[in-house]
Amino acid sequence: MQYKNTSTQKLVLSLIMIAAFSVAGSAQREWTEVRSKNFYLIGDASEKEIRKVATKLEQFRESFRLIFTKTNLNSAVPTNVVVFRNDSAFKPYKPKRGDGKVDNFVAGYFQPGEDVNYITLAVGGSDDEAYGIIFHEYVHFIMNTNFGKSAVPAWFNEGLAEYYQTFEIENDQIVKLGRLQNGHLQLLNTTKMMPLETLFAMSNHSLAQNGNHSRSIFYAQSWALVHFLVQTGKVDGLGKFLSDYARGVKPEVAIKNAFQLTYEEMEKQLRRYVAQRSFQYQMLTLNEKLDFDKDMKAATLTEGQRRAFLGDLLYRINRTDDAEVYLQASLIAEPENVMANTSLGMVKLRKRKFDEAKQFLERAVSAGKDNYLAHYQLAYLISRSNQDEFGYAREMLGDDAKRIRDLLTKAIAIRPDFTESYELLAFVSLVTNDELDAAVAHLRTALKYQPGNQRYAIRIAEILMRQDKFAEAKSLAEKLIATTDDLKVRSQAESVLSNLRMREEITARNEAERKRFEERRNSVPSAGGSSAPVLLRRPDGTGPKVSAELEKFTSESLIFSINQFLRKPVGNEQRVLGSLGPITCNDSTVTFPVESNGKKFNLTSKDFESLTLANYLTAEETIDVGCGANLNGMDLVLTYDPAMASGTSAGNLIAIEFVPADFRFMTEAERPVLPKGFAFADDGDNGGNPPPPRPIGTANEVDAEARRREFMINSIRGQLKAPVAGEKRVIGFLEGTECNKRGMFFNFRTDSSTLKLSASSGENLAIRVFSPDLGGMRFGCGMSALDYPVVIVYTDEPDKKNKTAGDIRTLDFVPKSFTLD
């Protein structure tokens, strides 16, 4: 056995050496680095050609700055540029399409990231094609960093990017902007344009849902509208329109205020503008030439550095297997290379190999004491280890919290404008529930560097809610809902508002209950004439006595208090104690299957927003009530109106309230009576008032944790596709994917067999991920094995020609503890 292990290790090392040799052998040409004022460039092109690329990028950036003087271009995210000598040298580093194949038609690309951007292109090709894409995406990067992707209208963001896409400069001094795009004009002159109301209502999300033809019209018309406004002298009005838009003014009103035009009038002017025979473009002659070459510094890259950069680039474009080969080769040449260790740690993290990831990141921190990214990534890895398989971080061990904070403090000292360090610091405070004021301050600092980052804004709202600053949290969440088109941010903001409504209701009820107890206490003087206190103690004052009788009183008191807090039925409303099955939705109705007291029936509502939701379990527990959610196993008080019964519905659901497993309805006559031999005693902690019912049950934390996990598992089960006639559903593990001219095929293993399945549906294959460990995964040809279970629904129609057991309908990747039964 020892011999076999040693042989395996030698074989792996040999394969790495062979891979490293092949990587080195494929690029004997010298690689050069060039540092300009705002970009870091590397490439196998000549130093002269790399300097030319750097100059063009610097000129574009400076021209933008001179025109948009109030825009901050000093981004916290650095930009690396890789310049290849020709398209053949570029091919191994191009991104893959959705089918897993390399997109060989890409002339250049801009790959944004939270910690670094990459620009890649090959010299010697069409400058307009390669640079046009880069200029377009760089404008988006500037706008999103300064304002946020949703803070400006989608048409303006795309129109401005299209306008700048044709940037050209002559003699380092004459700038040309808004040059003609014949494809856009031809489309607009042969196709009916969108009404402005439709154009202005289009968000980035809705744009992505439209077909190629509609998107093409949107891009063309957005370009034409920006071109029209700039070339006809309406730039000042455009600024006023954007200012009004940011304040929430309706587009139609903002257009009228800014240009003194109605939608119809502006549409007519735009159509006339597009139909004209000749077009002008903007030409600016700068006072001085934009000469950046003299300030550039050049050097030769070592092989280890080159491989590290190319490996990091491949990781950023989600080619992790290819990236790993380059990064391993870099470390063979330079074992202490900080970039290679950091990037390989990130590759291992993405592959869920947490122990290996930590080894590389620890080495990166040790070797790169002044490398902010190594410190940040190690801190992120440690924080990730404190989350469960559902992505839920209930607590964080003290040593871990301290280590994370130390690493992030160092990262900030090295690079104060790297904003993700601030966000992770705030996350730690949210989990540990301490230093919350400092957490908000950190996030506000991050927003100074990236004003448009809505992830930071929603994190502030979550912390403000934790601090009971309800008004501030509500205002921020409402603003995000009104402006964002990021579905995740919207969902988080809606969750904040939902929790706020619940917390406000509980706070109001707490206050009402406190006053009621105050009145009751003051009306019954104690033997000494003072008011009755709250904590249970023996009359001789020797301390609490635990007894079955007292425990029963305490338990009954909690249940009775929850009864007092529950929403009271109004009019003919009825309420029951029961549970809910999987919630289903259609265009007009939400259906809730109810089981109560051995009976099953349906309740309906028009939406979720109209429901009253309350949670009397644990405040830390987040419960999702939405389409597909399965609340079976949760004890609920359901209030409904039977007068609105119709069809299979027994009525309109009004409220869902989560209660403990031992809950029962209690009347005033069942109010618990204090056991004999005990009295209330005031310790001053609660103002002399009996404590209100406690949504946070520390004594039941273990039970609450088990219930939370059960709820999450049931929620996932409720969202899985149920097989229909002719379909099978199994749970197994993905062993890999392969593609050939006959199609795409998946190989799985289950407890009892192996399965080869086809995926004839291609891009329409439904793949969902219910485990945070698989976040960011890309599914396509040539995938490696995944050590995470997947629920597979496939047609029971074997294909003898391709030797498959059927065709896949859905793939749902689930947490490791998930079971179908």
Side-chain angles (χ1 to χ4, degrees), residues 23 28 39 59 104 232 254 274-275 300 461 463 505 514 604-605 754:
V23 170
Q28 294 294 335
F39 300 93
Q59 288 175 334
N104 288 321
T232 57
V274 168
T300 301
I463 295 173
E505 287 179 12
R514 188 195 66 78
T604 54
S605 71
T754 59

Side-chain angles (χ1 to χ4, degrees), residues 96-109:
K96 290 184 177 180
R97 303 193 305 258
D99 62 3
K101 297 179 181 178
V102 174
D103 193 343
N104 288 321
F105 295 100
V106 169
Y109 59 85

Side-chain angles (χ1 to χ4, degrees), residues 447-736:
L447 284 170
K448 288 180 181 178
Y449 291 112
Q450 290 196 46
N453 195 310
Q454 294 180 326
R455 286 191 302 111
Y456 303 161
I458 192 59
R459 184 73 82 199
I460 290 176
E462 291 171 345
I463 295 173
L464 291 173
M465 182 173 63
R466 178 72 61 83
Q467 294 178 303
D468 292 338
K469 297 178 180 178
F470 297 159
E472 295 177 62
K474 182 178 181 181
S475 175
L476 189 50
E478 287 177 339
K479 181 178 180 181
L480 287 169
I481 289 174
T483 60
T484 190
D485 53 26
D486 185 313
L487 294 183
K488 185 175 181 180
V489 170
R490 178 182 294 277
S491 175
Q492 288 177 283
E494 289 173 344
S495 177
V496 166
L497 286 184
S498 176
N499 285 329
L500 279 172
R501 285 192 293 268
M502 186 189 307
R503 294 280 298 276
E504 287 173 342
E505 287 179 12
I506 291 174
T507 299
R509 291 176 184 177
N510 270 338
E511 180 62 19
E513 188 73 359
R514 188 195 66 78
K515 289 181 178 179
R516 191 179 67 79
F517 272 105
E518 176 75 15
E519 293 169 357
R520 178 173 175 269
R521 188 192 66 164
N522 290 336
S523 67
V524 183
S526 68
S530 60
S531 298
V534 260
L535 293 184
L536 291 169
R537 300 191 185 278
R538 292 193 351 218
D540 60 10
T542 57
K545 176 182 178 181
V546 178
S547 68
E549 189 178 15
L550 183 55
E551 287 181 352
K552 180 181 179 182
F553 171 78
T554 303
S555 175
E556 293 282 285
S557 294
L558 178 59
I559 294 175
F560 183 82
S561 294
I562 293 176
N563 271 272
Q564 304 304 304
F565 274 66
L566 291 174
R567 182 188 181 280
K568 301 297 185 290
V570 178
N572 294 321
E573 293 177 357
Q574 296 181 14
R575 67 180 179 187
V576 296
L577 179 61
S579 63
L580 289 178
I583 301 170
T584 59
C585 306
N586 59 34
D587 293 339
S588 60
T589 305
V590 182
T591 301
F592 303 83
V594 179
E595 183 170 353
S596 174
N597 198 25
K599 297 181 180 180
K600 295 183 178 182
F601 56 94
N602 289 334
L603 297 174
T604 54
S605 71
K606 64 177 181 178
D607 53 34
F608 292 101
E609 288 72 15
S610 59
L611 294 176
T612 296
L613 301 175
N615 178 11
Y616 298 105
L617 300 174
T618 61
E620 295 95 334
E621 185 170 4
T622 300
I623 300 174
D624 295 322
V625 179
C627 299
N630 189 342
L631 304 181
N632 189 26
M634 306 292 291
D635 294 280
L636 311 170
V637 173
L638 305 167
T639 304
Y640 66 100
D641 183 358
M644 299 183 68
S646 63
T648 60
S649 173
N652 183 60
L653 183 61
I654 296 169
I656 303 175
E657 297 172 279
F658 295 82
V659 293
D662 59 350
F663 177 83
R664 73 179 193 278
F665 292 124
M666 297 176 70
T667 65
E668 182 66 28
E670 296 174 279
R671 179 187 291 274
V673 178
L674 183 66
K676 292 181 180 181
F678 288 87
F680 289 112
D682 190 359
D683 63 357
D685 287 344
N686 206 33
N689 301 308
R694 182 184 51 164
I696 303 174
T698 54
N700 297 315
E701 282 183 356
V702 175
D703 180 61
E705 175 67 11
R707 289 170 64 83
R708 184 185 68 78
R709 294 179 66 83
E710 182 183 2
F711 169 76
M712 295 297 292
I713 292 291
N714 287 334
S715 177
I716 293 172
R717 286 187 183 130
Q719 297 181 62
L720 297 178
K721 181 184 186 302
V724 298
E727 293 181 346
K728 284 186 177 181
R729 184 170 74 178
V730 297
I731 187 168
F733 293 85
L734 175 65
E735 291 288 276

Side-chain angles (χ1 to χ4, degrees), residues 180-194 196 217 219-229 231-232 266-279:
L180 192 61
Q181 295 209 37
N182 288 314
H184 286 341
L185 275 181
Q186 183 178 0
L187 179 62
L188 292 174
N189 279 312
T190 57
T191 306
K192 185 178 180 181
M193 288 197 295
M194 291 182 178
L196 283 187
I217 296 172
Y219 280 108
Q221 192 166 337
S222 297
W223 167 81
L225 184 54
V226 170
H227 204 285
F228 162 69
L229 295 173
Q231 295 302 135
T232 57
M266 178 167 278
E267 284 176 12
K268 289 179 181 179
Q269 291 191 18
L270 180 61
R271 281 195 293 269
R272 286 198 297 267
Y273 185 80
V274 168
Q276 64 186 348
R277 293 181 177 275
S278 62
F279 283 82

Side-chain angles (χ1 to χ4, degrees), residues 73-115:
L73 300 187
N74 297 317
S75 169
V77 180
T79 300
N80 295 337
V81 185
V82 186
V83 184
F84 297 97
R85 66 183 184 274
N86 54 39
D87 190 66
S88 178
F90 185 16
K91 279 184 180 180
Y93 311 99
K94 292 184 178 183
K96 290 184 177 180
R97 303 193 305 258
D99 62 3
K101 297 179 181 178
V102 174
D103 193 343
N104 288 321
F105 295 100
V106 169
Y109 59 85
F110 180 96
Q111 178 65 44
E114 294 173 349
D115 56 330

Side-chain angles (χ1 to χ4, degrees), residues 350-365:
R350 183 173 289 183
K351 291 188 172 186
R352 283 82 48 209
K353 298 178 179 179
F354 300 123
D355 291 341
E356 293 182 48
K358 189 173 184 181
Q359 292 177 13
F360 288 111
L361 291 172
E362 290 279 14
R363 190 187 302 169
V365 168

Side-chain angles (χ1 to χ4, degrees), residues 375-435:
H375 286 75
Y376 167 79
Q377 290 295 349
L378 179 56
Y380 175 78
L381 173 64
I382 297 171
S383 75
R384 180 66 189 85
S385 67
N386 281 269
Q387 299 176 32
D388 65 15
E389 59 187 333
F390 304 103
Y392 181 80
R394 185 179 185 84
E395 62 181 359
M396 188 170 291
L397 298 177
D399 290 344
D400 282 350
K402 184 179 185 306
R403 181 83 196 282
I404 293 171
R405 282 173 168 148
D406 289 344
L407 287 165
L408 294 174
T409 300
K410 178 65 174 175
I412 290 171
I414 299 169
R415 185 71 189 265
D417 59 354
F418 179 63
T419 54
E420 288 298 290
S421 295
Y422 300 104
E423 197 279 336
L424 189 52
L425 266 176
F427 173 75
V428 173
S429 294
L430 196 58
V431 174
T432 58
N433 200 34
D434 63 0
E435 301 184 22

